[in-house]
Amino acid sequence: MTAPATFQKRERVVSEKLIDELFNGGHSHSLAAFPLRVIYMKSEHQDGQPPVQVLISVPKKRFHHAVDRNRVKRQIREAYRRQKSLLADKVPPTQILVIAFVWLSDQLQPSAEIDRRVKNLLERIAKRF
């Protein structure tokens, strides 16, 4: 029996330095699967860090109500939690992968659609390793 997939707090990107490097640095790559865009980069592994760290962004410009933004973030987190094994095994032990999911649409989407898009993006990233 396999262990249940979890999404722990330490798997989230919290370092401002990493976030700035991800969005402003020249080492990041971007893929889109509407309504999501994923921006990712490889970084050096440090003790205690998981192989993949994730940031989820749903802009206020897209959804003015926090309820809607929170719903979309929950859907993305759940889709990632289910599919994260696609990437975790591919990352070399000397590196970490930093990923940002950015929501692009003004419309809410069903969870099944978000699951498909997240899986598609993670598979495309895994092919590049």
Side-chain angles (χ1 to χ4, degrees):
M1 185 173 168
T2 60
T6 59
F7 184 63
Q8 299 174 348
K9 188 169 185 170
R10 66 188 196 100
E11 294 179 66
R12 297 181 187 182
V13 179
V14 292
S15 164
E16 273 191 48
K17 181 181 169 190
L18 261 182
I19 294 170
D20 286 343
E21 192 178 334
L22 180 64
F23 286 104
N24 300 327
H27 304 296
S28 59
H29 306 280
S30 177
L31 297 170
F34 193 80
L36 285 169
R37 171 174 298 287
V38 68
I39 301 157
Y40 67 96
M41 72 172 190
K42 298 174 189 174
S43 185
E44 293 180 20
H45 186 271
Q46 296 166 355
D47 290 338
Q49 285 184 324
V52 181
Q53 289 189 327
V54 176
L55 170 81
I56 298 172
S57 173
V58 180
K60 199 182 277 189
K61 178 181 176 181
R62 303 291 176 203
F63 294 110
H64 300 291
H65 300 285
V67 173
D68 296 329
R69 290 192 303 274
N70 291 340
R71 175 181 178 214
V72 171
K73 286 190 274 189
R74 260 194 323 273
Q75 288 175 312
I76 296 170
R77 264 195 314 269
E78 180 63 12
Y80 171 75
R81 182 190 67 80
R82 289 184 190 155
Q83 307 294 333
K84 71 179 183 176
S85 62
L86 294 171
L87 276 182
D89 304 334
K90 304 262 193 236
V91 180
T94 59
Q95 294 182 331
I96 63 167
L97 182 64
V98 182
I99 300 175
F101 288 99
V102 181
W103 188 258
L104 302 174
S105 175
D106 294 338
Q107 304 292 317
L108 292 172
Q109 299 286 328
S111 293
E113 183 66 24
I114 294 173
D115 280 350
R116 275 197 304 278
R117 302 303 177 161
V118 168
K119 182 177 182 181
N120 174 281
L121 288 166
L122 294 180
E123 286 172 344
R124 288 166 58 191
I125 293 171
K127 284 182 186 176
R128 295 181 178 216
F129 269 95

